[in-house]
Every structure is written in C-alpha cells, then in structure tokens.
C-alpha cells in the first residue's frame, strides 16, 4: 500500500491545487452571476475573443448626488503601504506643496513619501469607484514574447508573432477609439458640475524611454501612453502634461498627442533634461514634481504682478489660476472613476486627503489568443506548446472572468482585504521573500510564466505553475481594456454583477 507521504507527490499536489481553485471559483461565484468570457447571453464576441460592452458607453449619464463612497480603514493597509501602492495619487496642490520631493531616491518613494507625510490616504471599499489598469507589465510581456518566438526559429513563428502583435495593439487601440470624443463630453459630461474637483485638476505624467530601436516596442509604448491620456480625458480632467528628459520622450508624447487631437483635454510636453544631469534622468518622477513644485510656488509669488512667461504656460496652460488639484500618475495607468462616486471623492479632496486608486494588473490569457492557438496547433504543435508558457490557461477558475460595469448602479466589487495565497504558512508573510524563494523573475502575477522546471503540456503542472493566482477571481471592466485583471497588492474583492441599470438624471 502506498503511504500518504508518497501520495503527496508533485503531481498529486497540483491535482489538489486544481480542486482548491475549483472550490475558490464556486465560493466567489455564489453571490453573483459568473460571466465566462467565451459567451454571455445575447452579448456578442468581438474579434479579440472577449465579450463586447453591453451598452458601448454612448450615453451621457447624470450624476447621482446621493451616492456616498465608503473607504478602507488605515489599519487595513500593510505597514509601508505596499498593498495599496498604485503608481498614482490625487490631491490638492496645497497639500502637495507640503511634501519635499528633492530627497526621493526611488520611483515608488514618490508615492510612499506622499502617503507618510499626510494624515489620511483614501482608498475606496468598492474597487469600481476608483481604480486603474496597469498596462506596462502586460505590454512588456509581449515585447519579450516577440523575442522569445524569434529565438525558437520554429516554422510559422513569424505569422504567430505578427498575429499576436496585431491582437495586443488592437486591445489598446480599441480603448483609445472607444473613449468619448466629443458628442458626450461637449453636450454635458457627467463630470461637468461646479462642485466636481476634476474640473480644477491638472495631470502630471513623468515618462522615460531609454530606446526607440524596436518599432513594435515603441508603438506599444505610444499606445499605452495615449490610452492613459484618453482615460484622463474620459473622466473630464482638462489638462495633462507629459514630462521627459530626452527626445525619446518627446517623440512618444507627440505621437500620443496625434492620436488624441480631436479630444477636449489640453496636452503639453515639458522637457526637464536640460536642468538636470544624466544620472538623475532615471528618476523622472522626482524631477517632474520638483519642477512642478517650483513652478507653482513661483506662479503664486508672481501672480499679482501678472508675470506669466512661456515656462508657466507650458506647464499650466491658459488661465493657470484654475488649478486646485494635481493628479500624478505613471503614463501607463488607465483611470476609471465611477461617475456617481466623483462627488464623494471631491469632498475628500477638499478635506486635504489623498486619493489613491486600486491598481489592477491585466493578465495575458489564453482566451484572448484562442484562435491563434487553435490555428497554430494544426501547423506546429511545438510552437503551440510554447504559447502555453506565456499565457494563463483556460482551466479551472481561470476559465471565467467576472465582467463588471462601472456605469451600472448595482455592479460592485467590495474589498475583502489582503488575501495572500494558501500556499504560505503565515498569511501575513510579505510577498518579497516568497518571490525570492520561488525564483520568480517577475511580479507575482506573472511568476507562473516561462518556468523551465514546469511541464506546460501537463494540465496539472500548468495549473501548479500559476498557483499564486489560483485563489483570486479574475475581473474585467467594460469600458476598459476588457482584459482579465487581478489586484497588484494581492487584495481581493467580491465581484457582483447585477441587472444593467444605467445611472441617469434623478
């Protein structure tokens, strides 16, 4: 008789993971109608393999003034703010002026120092109220995939590479094209109200591009930058300034602006490279905020003398005195704000609080590439197997994505706190040590890709490679990229999709 110890082999462990994921799937499924991204009632699939929006967002819903956001208690955040870091923040300019960014030594420290210096950082309980989709890791994944397929030198690898490139670029282009371009914004946006702080907000986006040698890479970076700007325009932010240090950033910014030339948002590029050394260029966020801090202080001092020169104009545009708030963001974050939540968020801004969004990470999923995989399987099975190494499988809980709509009154995703996966002995254990022990070469969400010790042709081993993701339900946002998402901070929410009821005038 085989002993229990022998039964706990690697294969058996992976099978257990499968049943665990199935259990988690049904646990999260119970309070909602689960949406499988392969089909959904009368909804139609678009050419990228995901369900299209139910309403295409071609309406101008009015603000529900009675809605009140709920916010997480500060005790629900980990020490050091690691689980709430999102790469952005939104605060009043008066509050921003209280921070000294000149001593910042890392990219993330821009956020952490800001959080530590203020009494309250606002984080919504409902993820749909205020969140961002983080694009750059997803984009870099497919830039690396491009070279990975080239190295394989398999038959048909070029056509597979081209198909994947077209598909990934179309996801971003679709979001840019689907954002309202005039009719809705020009008539009356649901954000255009006197007490909405978004109308007095200027966005600052630091950008650093070390090379433009790869055309595909440059095009993806341009698209993710344009998508970020389109999302700011969509929520009604009037002006965005991209800050760079070389001609590379200027080139990407100008190409992004060209994609958005019919939008209402004011777009500007500012170079801070001439006033800093090359050693400092790796910290463009620091340079951007130090200079913006100086510009605002100088403007406040010279305002009564009307000494407004071209430098002020390039940063602040016409009528510089209109700015009361600053939205600071990495240039790869698609912003989502639930319309009815904006008044509540505006009230918090006026109290001097800092608004911080939920950072959601798109995951490369086999569903998006199902047609490519199916076609190449008949031509070159070895090459098809290589795709399994870089895409999340359509197995177990990964086969369903909970599709949510921020414009529906009753779609919600309430935060349930930190949920470190069950493979750790202590759920409070920080993720850093786990990644090192697991020999992860990337962020935890992507740890299961390209693991040489895994057999991706075996379904149990394939699921085992992605065991960190198994306990987490996948989400997608209508009106966003439509890609499967998880919380970068390993937080969990309970997705609830209800009958579509669009916010309209009361």
């Amino acid at each position: 008789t085989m002993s229990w110890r022998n039964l706990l082999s690697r294969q058996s462990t992976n099978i257990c993971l499968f049943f665990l994921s199935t259990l988690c799937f049904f646990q999260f499924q119970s309070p909602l109608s689960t949406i499988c991204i392969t089909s959904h009632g009368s909804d139609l699939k678009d050419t990228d393999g995901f369900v299209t929006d139910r309403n295409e967002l071609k309406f101008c819903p009015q603000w529900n003034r009675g809605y009140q956001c709920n916010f997480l208690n500060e005790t629900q955040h980990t020490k050091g703010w690691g689980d709430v870091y999102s790469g952005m923040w939104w605060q009043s300019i008066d509050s921003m002026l209280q921070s000294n960014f000149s001593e910042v030594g890392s990219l993330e420290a821009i956020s952490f120092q800001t959080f530590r210096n203020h009494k309250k950082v606002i984080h919504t309980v409902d993820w749909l109220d205020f969140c961002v989709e983080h694009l750059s890791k997803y984009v870099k994944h497919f830039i690396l995939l491009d070279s990975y397929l080239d190295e394989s030198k398999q038959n048909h690898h070029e056509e597979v590479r081209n198909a994947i490139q077209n598909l990934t670029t179309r996801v971003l282009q679709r979001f840019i094209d689907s954002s309202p371009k005039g009719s809705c914004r020009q008539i009356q946006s649901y954000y255009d109200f006197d007490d909405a702080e978004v109308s007095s907000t200027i966005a600052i986006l630091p950008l650093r591009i070390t090379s433009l040698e790869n055309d595909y890479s440059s095009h993806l970076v341009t698209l993710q930058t344009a998508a970020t700007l389109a999302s700011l325009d969509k929520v009604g932010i009037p002006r965005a300034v991209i800050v760079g240090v070389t001609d590379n950033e200027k080139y990407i910014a100008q190409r992004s602006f060209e994609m958005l030339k019919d939008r209402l948002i004011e777009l500007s590029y500012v170079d801070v490279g001439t006033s800093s050394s090359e050693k400092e260029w790796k910290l463009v966020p620091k340079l951007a905020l130090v200079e913006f801090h100086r510009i605002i202080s100088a403007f406040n001092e010279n305002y009564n003398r009307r000494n407004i020169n071209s430098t002020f104009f390039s940063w602040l545009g016409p009528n510089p005195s209109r700015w009361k708030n600053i939205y600071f963001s990495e240039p790869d974050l698609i912003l989502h704000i639930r319309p009815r939540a904006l008044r509540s968020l505006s009230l918090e801004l006026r109290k001097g609080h800092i608004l911080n969004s939920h950072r959601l990470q798109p995951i490369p999923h086999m569903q998006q590439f199902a047609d490519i995989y199916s076609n190449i399987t008949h031509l070159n099975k070895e090459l098809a197997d290589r795709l399994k190494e870089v895409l999340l499988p359509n197995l177990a809980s990964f086969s369903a994505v909970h599709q949510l709509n921020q414009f529906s009154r009753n779609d919600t995703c309430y935060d349930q706190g930190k949920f470190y996966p069950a493979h750790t002995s202590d759920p409070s254990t920080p993720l850093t040590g786990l990644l090192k022990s697991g020999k992860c070469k990337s962020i935890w969400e992507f740890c299961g890709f390209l693991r040489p010790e895994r057999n991706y042709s075996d379904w149990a081993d394939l699921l085992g490679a992605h065991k960190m993701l198994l306990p987490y339900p996948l989400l997608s946002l209508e009106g966003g990229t439509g890609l499967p998402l998880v919380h970068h901070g390993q937080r969990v929410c309970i997705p609830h999709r209800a009958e579509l009821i669009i916010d309209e005038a009361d």
Side-chain angles (χ1 to χ4, degrees):
T1 302
M2 185 178 294
S3 66
W4 282 108
R5 178 173 298 178
N6 292 332
L7 282 173
L8 291 177
S9 61
R10 177 164 151 180
Q11 186 80 353
S12 300
T13 302
N14 288 331
I15 292 174
C16 290
L17 284 170
F18 169 77
F19 288 111
L20 172 63
S21 69
T22 304
L23 177 62
C24 291
F25 167 61
F26 284 110
Q27 176 185 352
F28 286 110
Q29 183 185 22
S30 57
L32 68 149
S33 174
T34 301
I35 306 303
C36 180
I37 55 181
T38 55
S39 64
H40 175 61
S42 60
D43 287 341
L44 301 177
K45 285 177 60 177
D46 60 23
T47 55
D48 294 341
F50 290 108
V51 178
T52 57
D53 294 353
R54 286 174 282 178
N55 49 65
E56 297 182 351
L57 307 181
K58 292 182 179 178
F59 49 83
C60 296
Q62 300 297 313
W63 198 348
N64 185 335
R65 293 177 179 269
Y67 181 76
Q68 176 63 47
C69 291
N70 293 312
F71 302 104
L72 298 178
N73 189 293
E74 291 185 6
T75 60
Q76 296 174 279
H77 301 151
T78 57
K79 183 179 181 181
W81 304 97
D83 61 327
V84 297
Y85 173 79
S86 63
M88 59 71 59
W89 41 254
W90 189 12
Q91 62 178 313
S92 69
I93 288 179
D94 287 342
S95 178
M96 182 273 299
L97 291 175
Q98 299 175 19
S99 297
N100 179 9
F101 299 103
S102 60
E103 301 300 323
V104 169
S106 67
L107 300 177
E108 294 78 9
I110 291 290
S111 291
F112 296 146
Q113 177 167 314
T114 301
F115 297 163
R116 287 192 294 266
N117 288 349
H118 293 78
K119 59 183 179 180
K120 192 167 185 179
V121 178
I122 295 298
H123 216 62
T124 60
V125 172
D126 189 347
W127 293 8
L128 301 188
D129 285 342
F130 192 36
C131 62
V132 293
E133 293 184 66
H134 177 227
L135 299 176
S136 63
K137 189 61 187 178
Y138 184 87
V139 166
K140 290 176 182 177
H141 182 77
F142 289 103
I143 293 174
L144 293 174
L145 175 60
D146 180 32
S147 59
Y148 177 67
L149 291 176
D150 271 345
E151 291 174 0
S152 69
K153 300 302 180 185
Q154 297 287 330
N155 293 331
H156 307 288
H157 81 276
E158 288 189 7
E159 61 187 271
V160 172
R161 179 190 62 192
N162 293 337
I164 290 175
Q165 288 183 357
N166 291 336
L167 198 56
T168 53
T169 56
R170 193 159 63 244
V171 167
L172 298 179
Q173 189 66 59
R174 181 181 58 191
F175 173 80
I176 296 169
D177 294 340
S178 67
S179 298
K181 298 184 182 66
S183 58
C184 185
R185 286 284 311 280
Q186 290 172 352
I187 295 174
Q188 183 185 41
S189 168
Y190 42 84
Y191 300 100
D192 295 336
F193 290 86
D194 292 339
D195 52 352
E197 292 295 317
V198 69
S199 61
S200 58
T201 295
I202 183 172
I204 304 297
L205 291 79
L207 179 65
R208 180 72 178 107
I209 308 295
T210 57
S211 174
L212 295 174
E213 294 181 0
N214 187 310
D215 292 340
Y216 174 54
S217 173
S218 300
H219 184 52
L220 283 179
V221 172
T222 300
L223 286 173
Q224 76 177 17
T225 304
T228 300
L229 295 171
S231 73
L232 302 183
D233 176 68
K234 183 177 179 179
V235 303
I237 290 180
R239 183 177 179 82
V241 180
I242 291 184
V243 183
V245 291
T246 69
D247 288 340
N248 290 349
E249 294 82 45
K250 183 177 181 181
Y251 174 76
I252 295 295
Q254 290 176 338
R255 289 184 61 193
S256 301
F257 296 168
E258 290 172 1
M259 295 181 180
L260 304 168
K261 56 187 177 183
D262 56 349
R263 309 303 171 100
L264 296 182
I265 189 172
E266 302 169 14
L267 300 171
S268 179
Y269 175 79
V270 173
D271 190 313
V272 294
T274 56
S275 60
S276 57
S277 65
E278 290 190 27
K279 184 178 180 181
E280 296 177 296
W281 287 359
K282 64 180 180 179
L283 290 178
V284 179
K286 169 186 173 180
L287 298 177
L289 284 176
V290 167
E291 184 64 12
F292 184 74
H293 193 294
R294 187 189 70 80
I295 288 292
I296 290 294
S297 298
F299 173 76
N300 290 339
E301 293 175 1
N302 294 306
Y303 177 68
N304 292 332
R305 289 178 284 176
R306 301 182 182 276
N307 183 18
I308 310 302
N309 57 34
S310 59
T311 302
F312 286 130
F313 187 85
S314 61
W315 280 91
L316 306 177
N319 189 18
S321 60
R322 58 183 156 155
W323 308 125
K324 299 178 183 178
N325 308 294
I326 172 175
Y327 176 86
F328 180 81
S329 172
E330 298 169 357
D332 59 354
L333 301 176
I334 291 180
L335 173 63
H336 298 285
I337 301 178
R338 192 196 289 271
R340 64 178 181 174
L342 191 58
R343 182 171 183 267
S344 184
L345 296 175
S346 296
L347 292 175
E348 298 301 323
L349 274 175
R350 294 192 200 105
K351 295 176 183 177
H353 300 159
I354 297 175
L355 304 184
N356 185 51
S357 68
H358 291 278
R359 182 183 179 107
L360 306 182
Q361 177 61 54
I363 305 296
H365 199 293
M366 180 61 80
Q367 277 286 352
Q368 184 188 8
F369 301 91
D371 291 341
I372 295 176
Y373 176 77
S374 177
N375 292 336
I376 197 61
T377 298
H378 301 295
L379 299 174
N380 188 327
K381 188 177 184 304
E382 185 176 350
L383 184 58
D385 287 341
R386 294 180 77 91
L387 287 181
K388 294 181 180 179
E389 300 180 30
V390 293
L391 299 173
L392 197 67
N394 186 30
L395 296 171
S397 59
F398 298 147
S399 63
V401 172
H402 305 282
Q403 191 179 36
L404 303 174
N405 190 314
Q406 290 179 301
F407 296 92
S408 170
R409 291 180 180 176
N410 297 320
D411 280 17
T412 59
C413 208
Y414 292 132
D415 188 275
Q416 301 299 303
K418 301 179 294 293
F419 185 68
Y420 295 136
H423 58 264
T424 60
S425 57
D426 180 2
S428 65
T429 301
L431 183 64
T432 306
L434 186 64
L435 293 176
K436 290 181 179 179
S437 63
K439 299 181 180 179
C440 293
K441 298 179 180 179
S442 183
I443 58 177
W444 74 272
E445 302 97 309
F446 285 61
C447 190
F449 299 124
L450 294 173
R451 300 298 297 267
E453 75 278 10
R454 293 288 183 176
N455 178 9
Y456 287 88
S457 296
D458 178 82
W459 66 266
D461 212 12
L462 178 56
L463 283 176
H466 296 285
K467 62 182 179 180
M468 285 190 181
L469 279 174
L470 280 173
Y472 296 89
L474 297 175
L475 319 171
S476 72
L477 298 178
E478 294 183 5
T481 63
L483 298 171
L485 306 165
V486 295
H487 199 296
H488 179 65
Q490 287 194 295
R491 301 187 74 88
V492 167
C493 70
I494 299 296
H496 175 76
R497 174 170 167 130
E499 179 183 356
L500 183 64
I501 304 175
I502 301 300
D503 281 339
E504 296 177 349
D506 294 335

